[in-house]
Amino acid sequence: MPAQAAGNGSNLYQQRQNRVESLKLMDYVTSLIPRINPDWQFILQADAHASRLKRARVRVGGSIPLFIVGGFVLMIALILLSLVIDGGGDVGPAIVVMLFLFLLGAGMIVLGIVLIKSSAKRRTQALAKAKELEGQMEESMQRIANVYYDCKLEEYYPFNYFYPEAITAIRENLVDFRADSIKEAINVYEQTQFNQQMLQNHAQMAQMMEYTARQAAAAPDILDKTEAQLSAANFFFG
């Protein structure tokens, strides 16, 4: 028993020493946050902005009505031209109307083409801006890596967790006695992140199930309204 108690005491002492040393190391890592935080904040904002820019599309929806109406007007102009040619007589007024319709239709089609080209140009500019942001993010990441390796953190702290949120959380795990070493503190951080993601997934599933339930509950009302409309139509037209 005395030997076992001595062993337990030795283990507790070793755990305490590990925690104290880990806290000292994490205090040093935490002191580096002001040096890397501006670059990390830029990376987060630039990444979100670049993602939005990459989703830019060439918009043709506004041009389609112009093409349809312009083509229809041109068709009317051609029909009028054929009638003028076949009819003979005084064609002056008809020619004026035909030219007006032709110019109107052609102008609408040209405007549609211009809109598409303008949208394509904006997409090209957006992709170029996104690429520029990615280059700036790489420069910021390189500066962060320079701080990491200049301080020789690779000997006891992984680069994958060298960002303000992780650094702060890992240190708090040591302060709150949830871990006795940096490795344990990282595992606790990973488990916390996993649990938060699971909670978010469950919340999203609950919202989807609630929406599905509302749709299912509303289905009989929609069916009754449809049947009533069909009955009314049969009454008037049947």
Side-chain angles (χ1 to χ4, degrees):
M1 292 294 292
Q4 183 178 0
N8 292 336
S10 177
N11 290 336
L12 289 174
Y13 176 78
Q14 187 61 45
Q15 288 179 355
R16 180 179 178 278
Q17 288 299 108
N18 289 340
R19 179 174 167 275
V20 170
E21 291 299 321
S22 297
L23 265 174
K24 289 181 180 179
L25 293 174
M26 287 309 303
D27 285 340
Y28 175 62
V29 176
T30 303
S31 70
L32 300 175
I33 288 179
R35 294 176 60 182
I36 65 173
N37 190 56
D39 281 313
W40 270 116
Q41 292 301 321
F42 171 77
I43 288 173
L44 293 175
Q45 296 174 6
D47 183 60
H49 188 38
S51 298
R52 289 193 298 269
L53 291 173
K54 288 181 179 179
R55 290 195 296 269
R57 294 289 182 268
V58 178
R59 302 185 182 277
V60 298
S63 300
I64 292 176
L66 291 173
F67 289 147
I68 294 175
V69 176
F72 182 71
V73 172
L74 284 178
M75 183 178 66
I76 294 177
L78 293 175
I79 292 173
L80 182 59
L81 176 62
S82 64
L83 292 176
V84 168
I85 293 174
D86 294 338
D90 187 9
V91 299
I95 290 293
V96 173
V97 174
M98 182 201 67
L99 288 174
F100 172 75
L101 292 176
F102 180 82
L103 293 175
L104 178 62
M108 296 180 74
I109 292 176
V110 170
L111 178 59
I113 294 174
V114 170
L115 290 177
I116 291 177
K117 287 185 176 181
S118 176
S119 179
K121 182 179 180 180
R122 286 195 298 271
R123 170 170 166 74
T124 301
Q125 292 173 343
L127 293 178
K129 180 62 176 178
K131 187 174 181 179
E132 179 184 349
L133 288 174
E134 288 174 349
Q136 294 174 352
M137 284 189 288
E138 290 179 1
E139 293 175 359
S140 293
M141 184 60 71
Q142 185 59 53
R143 286 193 293 270
I144 293 171
N146 290 341
V147 174
Y148 178 83
Y149 289 106
D150 289 346
C151 297
K152 302 186 185 305
L153 299 182
E154 70 273 15
E155 297 178 4
Y156 56 85
Y157 190 84
F159 182 72
N160 289 344
Y161 300 93
F162 192 54
Y163 55 93
E165 178 190 350
I167 294 171
T168 302
I170 290 168
R171 184 183 180 279
E172 287 178 353
N173 290 336
L174 290 167
V175 172
D176 296 339
F177 291 89
R178 285 179 287 178
D180 295 319
S181 66
I182 292 178
K183 181 179 179 179
E184 291 179 4
I186 290 175
N187 290 336
V188 173
Y189 173 72
E190 284 287 355
Q191 186 62 46
T192 302
Q193 294 294 105
F194 176 78
N195 293 340
Q196 290 177 350
Q197 185 62 49
M198 291 296 294
L199 288 174
Q200 291 178 1
N201 293 340
H202 289 160
Q204 292 175 355
M205 290 179 61
Q207 290 177 354
M208 292 178 61
M209 293 177 64
E210 182 181 355
Y211 174 78
T212 303
R214 288 200 303 266
Q215 293 295 105
D221 294 337
I222 296 174
L223 182 60
D224 292 342
K225 290 180 181 179
T226 303
E227 291 178 348
Q229 292 173 354
L230 289 175
S231 300
N234 291 331
F235 175 79
F236 286 108
F237 302 105

